[in-house]
Amino acid sequence: MRVFPWGFWLLCVASAPARGDSGSKARSCAEVRQLYGAKGFSLSGVPQAEISGEHLRICPQGYTCCTSEMEENFANKSRSEFEAMVKEAGRSVQATLTAQHRSFDSYFQDLLNKSEKALHDAFPSMYGELYTQNVKVFKDLYSELRRYYRSSNINLEEALNEFWTRLLERLFKLLNPQYHITDEYLDCMVKHAEQHRPFGEVPRDLKLKATRAFIAARSYAQGFLVGSDVVRKVSQVSLSQECTRAIMKLQYCPHCRGMASVRPCNNYCLNVVKGCLANQADLSTEWKFLMDSLMGVADRIDGPYNVDTVIGTIHMRIAEAISNLQENKDSITSKVFQGCGNPKISTKGSSSEDKKRRGKVTLEAKSSAQALEMLVLDAKGNLTALKTYWITLPSSLCSKKVMASSASDDKCWNGMTKGSYLPEVMGDGLANQINNPEVEVDITKPDMTIRQQIMQLKIMTNRLGNANIGNDVDFQDTSDDMSGSGSGDSCPDDVCGKRLSKSPSTRQPETHAIPKQSGHGVHGASSRSLPSASLLLLLSVAAMAVQHLWR
């Protein structure tokens, strides 16, 4: 007969209102006071012991150690801290991509520098005045190659054609000093150059291989910069008011409730962060495409396009071309005379042995193929690790920054009290947050800054796709910033429109903008042979408008 009294007593105890982790006695607010002061706030007006919480607007309205002012201050603090967490995570990704760009850029520039140095070191003794009187021609070539790689608006095939034309004009006059050769005569000679092939097959072969190598190299280098710039801009997107409330409830409400030692439930944290970063998660698909495209071009650079051999031996191919001209001088001169007539004899003719000197090509190229292979392997490893960055960011923040409890913990902070968290975890992306129990998310209003960055990822992926098959893309270096939080209702012609190079000698490369290497802005137009950037953005806005009307 003693069961009923004991059972009744236990029932009464279980049904008594809880105050944090203690019984009915008001708890001390010492822990909250310490935390509040450590965050830089004044302790004036902070309760010494728990008070009634009817005034609270974010935290549960039970007994609390927080006043309205404290709740507001904690909310603002949680917002700034969470935004700092996102930026810190982004800086880590930026650092990885920037380091990869720096490593490849240094390697590629070194290839060019060594090739140019080898040319200037060897050519004086090999060719005498054939070189010394034409130093500027060679320097201009390497200068143009560097400008192209740095994404200046240069037609690479045209630049190479111009080099061979200028070199032929200069060398033909030096190899035939006994004749008075006018500019008109040189124009005639150049018109017949393709037929006579004075430099052999070198110009054609070098143009094919060098353009593929340079196109791949500069698109590859720019891909890292664009990826880093997208992360930087997306990481700066501010939290919504609804997200601020949810983060506050996640991080500081347990302190107000006297549960400072209770960690947030893991699934609860995931729902909060997924709701707050819903727009960011929508980057994931195009982000993966960019990472895959970079890895594809990396394979080309270290494989079929053979950047190490092609770029590192430019000086050797030029020497080979000059030797072809020297060895076939008489035959070529005869053919030119047949097509353009005999030029007048010059009264200033010279038979200087130095001008007629023919050098045997003994140039060597030091291979750095192993260094390139290591660069590519390192890049592919990092790119693979970064592919899932946007969809793994919530779990990373919850486990490493928010310090959420384990998934199986049933004594964690669930947003109301200490216990288990029952709601299911939401999927990734904006559309999957329609039923998020922790953050009110309007899925009909995507963040336009992030949508613009998704477009930049598409643009860069298509540039890399073009580079992967050897198609040129013209990069416009511009300082106009289109990454603001505008409405996105229109896409200016100078941003989304395609501009074509005026080169008459090659197919017209598509035009896009790039972020400056200092990290200022991503700009450009889509190079996809699929929908244009303006069309994609217009369709996106139209779809959102229709969806909004149906709601």
Side-chain angles (χ1 to χ4, degrees):
M1 297 300 293
R2 294 182 179 179
V3 175
F4 173 76
W6 278 104
F8 180 76
W9 181 83
L10 289 173
L11 181 62
C12 291
V13 171
S15 62
R19 296 189 181 181
D21 292 324
S22 66
S24 59
K25 183 178 179 181
R27 289 181 54 123
S28 169
C29 293
E31 289 183 347
V32 179
R33 289 174 61 85
Q34 183 179 0
L35 174 67
Y36 195 67
K39 296 295 180 180
F41 301 115
S42 170
L43 295 180
S44 176
V46 177
Q48 295 287 346
E50 289 180 326
I51 59 176
S52 179
E54 289 85 357
H55 56 279
L56 298 177
R57 295 293 177 266
I58 300 176
C59 296
Q61 294 183 334
Y63 286 97
T64 183
C65 283
C66 292
T67 63
S68 295
E69 181 182 359
M70 292 174 65
E71 188 181 43
E72 182 180 353
N73 288 337
F74 272 140
N76 292 332
K77 177 61 70 173
S78 64
R79 175 182 184 137
S80 62
E81 289 176 344
F82 186 78
E83 289 177 345
M85 290 179 197
V86 174
K87 288 179 182 178
E88 183 182 350
R91 279 193 292 268
S92 177
V93 177
Q94 287 178 256
T96 298
L97 294 174
T98 302
Q100 291 300 322
H101 170 268
R102 188 181 301 113
S103 296
F104 178 77
D105 181 69
S106 176
Y107 162 81
F108 191 83
Q109 298 272 16
D110 190 53
L111 274 182
L112 269 180
N113 292 339
K114 286 180 178 178
S115 174
E116 183 176 21
K117 184 177 186 303
L119 184 149
H120 292 310
D121 287 346
F123 276 31
S125 60
M126 291 174 63
Y127 302 117
E129 289 187 17
L130 290 181
Y131 166 75
T132 57
Q133 292 189 17
N134 296 289
V135 174
K136 189 175 186 304
V137 176
F138 299 104
K139 287 187 175 181
D140 286 348
L141 170 64
Y142 281 93
S143 176
E144 289 293 276
L145 292 177
R146 289 190 181 88
R147 288 179 61 202
Y148 176 85
Y149 171 69
R150 291 169 183 162
S151 303
S152 295
N153 188 17
I154 292 175
N155 187 301
L156 182 57
E157 291 187 6
E158 186 179 273
L160 289 171
N161 289 338
E162 177 67 16
F163 164 73
W164 293 116
T165 297
R166 290 177 63 196
L167 186 62
L168 177 59
E169 292 174 348
R170 301 293 187 87
L171 296 187
F172 188 82
K173 291 179 71 173
L174 284 171
L175 291 172
N176 296 279
Q178 68 273 31
Y179 296 104
H180 177 67
I181 300 175
T182 64
D183 290 342
E184 291 75 13
Y185 193 89
L186 290 176
D187 289 339
C188 177
M189 179 195 66
V190 169
K191 290 178 182 178
H192 292 83
E194 182 65 24
Q195 177 184 351
H196 302 324
R197 297 186 182 178
F199 294 119
E201 294 298 322
V202 174
R204 181 179 298 180
D205 184 60
L206 182 61
K207 181 166 67 174
L208 174 64
K209 294 178 179 179
T211 50
R212 286 181 175 177
F214 269 92
I215 289 167
R218 79 164 182 173
S219 296
Y220 183 67
Q222 288 302 326
F224 289 114
L225 290 180
V226 168
S228 176
D229 203 64
V230 167
V231 174
R232 178 181 66 84
K233 290 180 177 177
V234 171
S235 298
Q236 292 175 346
V237 173
S238 299
L239 299 183
S240 66
Q241 190 62 37
E242 292 77 12
C243 177
T244 299
R245 293 171 60 88
I247 293 294
M248 158 64 187
K249 190 174 181 181
L250 173 74
Q251 292 189 284
Y252 287 109
C253 284
H255 292 276
C256 291
R257 289 281 285 171
M259 302 180 188
S261 62
V262 181
R263 295 189 298 172
C265 299
N266 186 66
N267 287 355
Y268 170 43
C269 180
L270 287 176
N271 275 342
V272 170
V273 180
K274 285 191 175 195
C276 288
L277 301 182
N279 282 281
Q280 287 83 338
D282 282 345
L283 286 155
S284 183
T285 298
E286 292 300 331
W287 179 261
K288 288 179 181 178
F289 288 158
L290 178 64
M291 300 297 106
D292 286 336
S293 297
L294 281 169
M295 287 190 281
V297 174
D299 286 333
R300 291 283 188 178
I301 288 173
D302 190 33
Y305 294 169
N306 208 348
V307 167
D308 178 75
T309 300
V310 173
I311 307 304
T313 61
I314 290 176
H315 60 291
M316 297 179 67
R317 302 309 307 277
I318 295 174
E320 180 185 345
I322 294 175
S323 294
N324 284 336
L325 178 62
Q326 288 179 312
E327 292 168 2
N328 298 287
K329 169 184 173 290
D330 294 338
S331 173
I332 293 169
T333 300
S334 175
K335 291 178 180 179
V336 171
F337 285 179
Q338 288 177 12
C340 301
N342 294 327
K344 295 180 179 179
I345 300 296
S346 174
T347 57
K348 299 180 181 179
S350 171
S351 58
S352 169
E353 289 300 315
D354 190 46
K355 292 182 180 180
K356 294 181 179 181
R357 184 187 308 177
R358 297 181 183 184
K360 184 178 180 181
V361 178
T362 57
L363 292 173
E364 294 183 359
K366 295 182 179 180
S367 175
S368 56
Q370 187 175 5
L372 177 58
E373 182 180 357
M374 294 303 296
L375 279 176
V376 169
L377 284 175
D378 184 54
K380 290 173 73 174
N382 281 296
L383 291 169
T384 299
L386 292 178
K387 283 175 68 173
T388 59
Y389 170 69
W390 296 107
I391 58 174
T392 58
L393 183 57
S395 59
S396 176
L397 291 177
C398 284
S399 61
K400 298 177 181 179
K401 301 298 181 181
V402 180
M403 302 300 291
S405 65
S406 64
S408 60
D409 191 356
D410 60 353
K411 295 182 179 179
C412 50
W413 173 251
N414 60 19
M416 296 299 294
T417 187
K418 182 170 70 173
S420 58
Y421 184 76
L422 300 179
E424 64 177 348
V425 177
M426 298 293 101
D428 300 305
L430 187 63
N432 286 317
Q433 307 310 310
I434 189 170
N435 294 317
N436 192 311
E438 309 305 334
V439 188
E440 185 179 345
V441 181
D442 187 347
I443 65 171
T444 67
K445 294 181 179 179
D447 184 275
M448 292 311 299
T449 295
I450 293 178
R451 297 294 133 173
Q452 288 168 345
Q453 297 313 305
I454 290 175
M455 185 60 67
Q456 298 309 309
L457 293 176
K458 291 181 179 180
I459 291 169
M460 191 64 238
T461 296
N462 281 298
R463 293 176 191 161
L464 291 164
N466 279 318
N468 206 25
I469 56 177
N471 288 343
D472 199 1
V473 179
D474 223 4
F475 291 79
Q476 290 287 352
D477 194 358
T478 175
S479 58
D480 295 335
D481 193 352
M482 60 158 285
S483 63
S485 55
S487 66
D489 292 336
S490 62
C491 192
D493 291 339
D494 63 339
V495 173
C496 294
K498 291 184 177 180
R499 291 171 236 143
L500 300 178
S501 168
K502 295 182 180 179
S503 168
S505 61
T506 61
R507 66 180 177 276
Q508 306 298 352
E510 299 171 52
T511 302
H512 305 296
I514 61 168
K516 287 184 176 292
Q517 295 193 14
S518 60
H520 296 294
V522 173
H523 328 275
S526 175
S527 66
R528 291 198 183 204
S529 55
L530 299 172
S532 68
S534 56
L535 179 59
L536 287 170
L537 189 58
L538 182 60
L539 289 175
S540 176
V541 173
M544 287 185 287
V546 171
Q547 188 175 15
H548 182 70
L549 288 173
W550 276 102
R551 287 173 60 86

